[in-house]
Amino acid sequence: EDQVTQSPEALRLQEGESSSLNCSYTVSGLRGLFWYRQDPGKGPEFLFTLYSAGEEKEKERLKATLTKKESFLHITAPKPEDSATYLCAVQAGNNDMRFGAGTRLTVKP
Amino acid sequence: DAGVIQSPRHEVTEMGQEVTLRCKPISGHNSLFWYRQTMMRGLELLIYFNNNVPIDDSGMPEDRFSAKMPNASFSTLKIQPSEPRDSAVYFCASSLGQTPDTQYFGPGTRLTVL
């Protein structure tokens, strides 16, 4: 069965303290891996799509990478406004979408 | 653009009652998705439409759930009868294509079934 596991469940950082969020997956025929940001009381907001191992995408302080078994979302010098829940999702070969439970990130000033 | 519009934003109902959630997608988008989010199960895709036609409803939990898209600017998700385990936040999303990277999510409807 397709599975997506995100770790840690929660992460507290000081402003400027870089770190990484992990998304490990097992899926039949990966079509794409997606990262979203979700603020409290709002719907998810799309960040990145990764399609193949070795691929990397960057946006401001965020960088997403992909291997055959996992993806990392690296946050460089985070700011308080980066506080949110970050969701990872995979799309299988049959187009099924499966989301991870998310990592709740808090960045303290 | 106003983005995806969902109504109501909050709904409290009693077990056994019918619940109807509404969604207005972004104008020009041809795909619409309904999701459910709970603490226990996370975000789950329930059903999606392309050009107003249901493409995949394999995520709909049971026959108590039904979804319609009578035209390109309106969709409903109905639960009849509702049960306490249906309590969740229901999101609608729309996109120009069928891939997740073009989806825009609405603000969600928080449903509480007592």
Side-chain angles (χ1 to χ4, degrees):
Chain A
E1 183 180 311
D2 299 338
Q3 283 194 336
V4 180
T5 304
Q6 290 189 247
S7 61
E9 288 185 16
L11 181 63
R12 296 170 69 92
L13 300 173
Q14 287 296 127
E15 184 172 2
E17 179 186 2
S18 301
S19 188
S20 297
L21 313 183
N22 178 265
C23 172
S24 62
Y25 64 91
T26 54
V27 65
S28 300
L30 180 72
R31 290 179 63 92
L33 185 141
F34 310 90
W35 282 99
Y36 297 83
R37 170 191 171 126
Q38 186 173 22
D39 292 298
K42 296 187 176 181
E45 177 186 343
F46 168 75
L47 291 173
F48 301 110
T49 306
L50 301 166
Y51 292 106
S52 57
E55 191 174 359
E56 298 182 353
K57 294 275 181 73
E58 283 189 72
K59 180 180 179 180
E60 296 180 354
R61 294 178 292 281
L62 301 176
K63 179 180 177 180
T65 62
L66 181 65
T67 71
K68 289 187 177 180
K69 294 184 178 181
E70 58 190 351
S71 177
F72 291 94
L73 184 65
H74 306 278
I75 303 178
T76 302
K79 298 182 178 181
E81 53 261 43
D82 294 323
S83 297
T85 295
Y86 291 85
L87 298 171
C88 165
V90 296
Q91 187 177 32
N94 59 1
N95 284 330
D96 280 355
M97 283 285 290
R98 191 167 295 269
F99 284 79
T103 292
R104 189 171 64 256
L105 174 67
T106 304
V107 182
K108 294 287 192 179
Chain B
D1 198 316
V4 176
I5 299 173
Q6 291 187 246
S7 64
R9 293 294 312 278
H10 302 273
E11 176 81 32
V12 180
T13 191
E14 293 191 347
M15 183 174 63
Q17 297 297 306
E18 177 179 297
V19 175
T20 299
L21 311 182
R22 296 172 176 79
C23 175
K24 176 178 168 57
I26 293 173
S27 177
H29 283 188
N30 61 353
S31 291
L32 184 140
F33 306 77
W34 281 102
Y35 291 87
R36 176 173 68 175
Q37 188 173 40
T38 62
M39 290 293 292
M40 290 293 294
R41 300 176 66 88
L43 195 62
E44 303 172 282
L45 177 63
L46 300 177
I47 184 172
Y48 79 91
F49 296 83
N50 183 246
N51 293 323
N52 311 337
V53 175
I55 302 300
D56 184 356
D57 66 354
S58 59
M60 296 285 262
E62 48 196 275
D63 292 345
R64 298 184 296 107
F65 286 69
S66 62
K68 293 182 180 180
M69 192 165 186
N71 56 62
S73 59
F74 184 65
S75 178
T76 59
L77 178 67
K78 186 176 293 186
I79 308 172
Q80 166 63 18
S82 58
E83 297 182 3
R85 60 190 167 126
D86 301 330
S87 297
V89 180
Y90 291 81
F91 289 104
C92 173
S94 71
S95 69
L96 271 173
Q98 297 185 52
T99 56
D101 54 354
T102 61
Q103 288 183 21
Y104 291 84
F105 281 77
T109 294
R110 181 174 294 278
L111 173 65
T112 303
V113 183
L114 303 175

